């Protein structure tokens, strides 16, 4: 399988989107919300996109814009035009919304909270099923899991400051993740109590 999932920091990245229909608009909003500089070529200019800083350019500038961009999205309804843009984008990050297997970037369906982010792809086989599976997984994540993430974050920050050896930090963190008293605190939604208990445990190993 030539694909691997990654989380990519889009802040400041330059994105060129060909097309201005449903899919192009969805991509533009998603990339813009992640902090990218987004330019679109298309005939369906939408004022609300301009308001969030998405720039519209005429199709004649496509070649120049593809050179400028870090990421190119082909999402027009014209297969020949999409093909042309894709060939100009050779060597760059390319999302073929129209022909996924010919690009090198797939936009997965996601679900995120402050603490966890989940992305699902069916390798372009069924976006509808990607959504169904995303919703199933979403329902499996409990409040305990979220609190446990916050507690691990608390403990590992503390450990990183005081314990040099990563393998030792790892062992302690695994133990904390299985600790019955921590789990009881988290069941009672008592994150502060769990943190205090972690503080007391860490004091025993010389971490304060
Ligand atoms: C490869 C990918 C493009 C990429 O990487 O950019 C891709 C490709 C294609 N989708 C097509 C069709 C549909 N896509 C949707 C919906 C979504 N599609 C999304 C992602 C992706 N779609 C990527 C792969 C994700 C994966 O790997 O699973 C979602 C998850 C995210 C998003 O788009 O933001 C979003 C859910 C949004 C939500 O639910 O919130 C629906 C449903 C609907 O519209 O209601 C339909 C109609 C039903 C159907 O066709 O299944 C066609 C045309 C096929 C044809 O010609 O008939 C192609 C091209 C092709 O397959 O050739
Ligand atoms: N990734 C995804 O989730 C999906 C991908 N698709 C694929 O993406 C393509 C676009 O889908 P939608 O946005 O739903 O279609 P749409 O019909 O809403 O938009 C197509 C856009 O392309 C523009 N366009 C068409 N021919 C053009 C030309 N010669 N020059 C300039 N602009 C031109 C149209 O003006 C329009 O803005 C589809 O052809 C399909 O292959 C379709 C549905 C979902």
């Amino acid at each position: 399988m030539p694909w691997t999932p990654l989380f990519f920091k889009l802040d400041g990245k330059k994105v060129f989107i060909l097309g201005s229909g449903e899919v192009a608009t969805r991509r533009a909003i998603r990339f813009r919300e992640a902090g990218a500089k987004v330019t679109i070529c298309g005939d369906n200019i939408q004022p609300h996109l301009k308001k969030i800083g998405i720039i519209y350019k005429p199709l004649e500038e496509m070649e120049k814009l593809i050179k400028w961009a870090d990421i190119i999205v082909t999402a027009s309804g014209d297969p020949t035009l999409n093909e042309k843009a894709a060939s100009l984008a050779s060597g760059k990050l390319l999302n073929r919304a129209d022909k996924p297997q010919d690009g090198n970037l797939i936009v997965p369906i996601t679900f995120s909270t402050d603490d966890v982010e989940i992305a699902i792809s069916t390798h372009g086989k069924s976006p509808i099923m990607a959504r169904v599976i995303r919703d199933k997984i979403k329902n499996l994540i409990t409040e305990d899991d979220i609190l446990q993430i916050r507690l691990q974050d608390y403990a590992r920050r503390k450990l990183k400051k005081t314990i040099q050896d990563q393998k030792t930090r790892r062992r302690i963190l695994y133990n904390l993740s299985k600790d019955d008293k921590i789990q009881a605190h988290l069941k009672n939604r008592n994150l502060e109590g769990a943190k205090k208990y972690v503080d007391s445990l860490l004091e025993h190993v010389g971490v304060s």
Side-chain angles (χ1 to χ4, degrees):
M1 196 64 70
W3 302 95
T4 193
L6 301 166
F7 284 94
F8 188 62
K9 202 169 184 179
L10 273 173
D11 193 27
K13 289 277 177 290
K14 293 174 250 169
V15 179
F16 169 71
I17 299 179
L18 176 63
S20 53
E22 240 184 85
V23 177
T25 302
R26 214 156 60 212
R27 291 286 178 280
I29 293 172
R30 179 154 163 178
F31 290 151
R32 182 71 195 131
E33 282 177 347
K37 294 174 188 156
V38 179
T39 300
I40 276 195
C41 269
D43 46 13
N44 182 14
I45 296 182
Q46 302 196 28
H48 70 283
L49 295 194
K50 282 188 161 178
K51 279 196 198 124
I52 59 168
I54 291 167
I55 297 159
Y56 281 88
K57 293 278 185 188
L59 195 59
E60 295 74 55
E61 291 189 32
M62 179 171 90
E63 192 163 344
K64 194 176 92 192
L65 289 165
I66 290 176
K67 282 206 183 101
W68 160 85
D70 302 306
I71 300 172
I72 289 94
V73 179
T74 60
S76 90
D78 178 344
T80 316
L81 188 62
N82 287 340
E83 226 41 79
K84 184 173 176 215
S87 66
L88 290 168
S90 163
K92 298 212 177 197
L93 291 172
L94 174 64
N95 173 230
R96 294 285 312 249
D98 60 321
K99 231 175 166 190
Q101 299 302 330
D102 288 2
N104 54 23
L105 203 66
I106 282 182
V107 178
I109 191 159
T110 62
F111 150 73
S112 64
T113 70
D114 286 345
D115 301 287
V116 67
E117 179 142 19
I118 287 174
I120 308 284
S121 168
T122 59
H123 297 133
K125 290 185 192 129
S126 170
I128 290 178
M129 280 314 294
R131 177 167 33 190
V132 170
I133 291 167
R134 191 260 325 257
D135 291 344
K136 280 188 185 168
I137 292 174
K138 199 168 158 179
N139 291 329
L140 285 176
I141 300 170
T142 64
E143 205 175 327
D144 290 15
D145 297 327
I146 300 296
L147 292 176
Q148 189 67 261
I149 291 173
R150 294 185 188 164
L151 187 74
Q152 283 276 319
D153 182 37
Y154 175 75
R156 74 201 290 273
R157 280 171 196 263
K158 232 176 154 165
L159 289 167
K160 274 187 188 170
K161 279 198 220 135
T162 44
I163 292 190
Q164 288 288 317
D165 181 44
Q166 190 271 329
K167 307 281 189 249
T168 307
R169 295 200 296 264
R170 177 172 71 182
R171 184 175 44 74
I172 295 170
L173 288 168
Y174 269 113
N175 288 341
L176 294 179
S177 75
K178 289 181 231 141
D179 189 286
D180 290 341
K181 285 202 175 123
I182 289 177
Q183 275 166 22
H185 277 306
L186 298 184
K187 272 242 154 344
N188 293 325
R189 309 285 168 256
N190 185 3
L191 182 60
E192 289 314 308
K195 283 183 182 173
K196 287 209 177 88
Y197 172 69
V198 165
D199 289 343
S200 72
L201 284 179
L202 295 185
E203 268 168 35
H204 287 299
V205 289
V207 178
S208 57

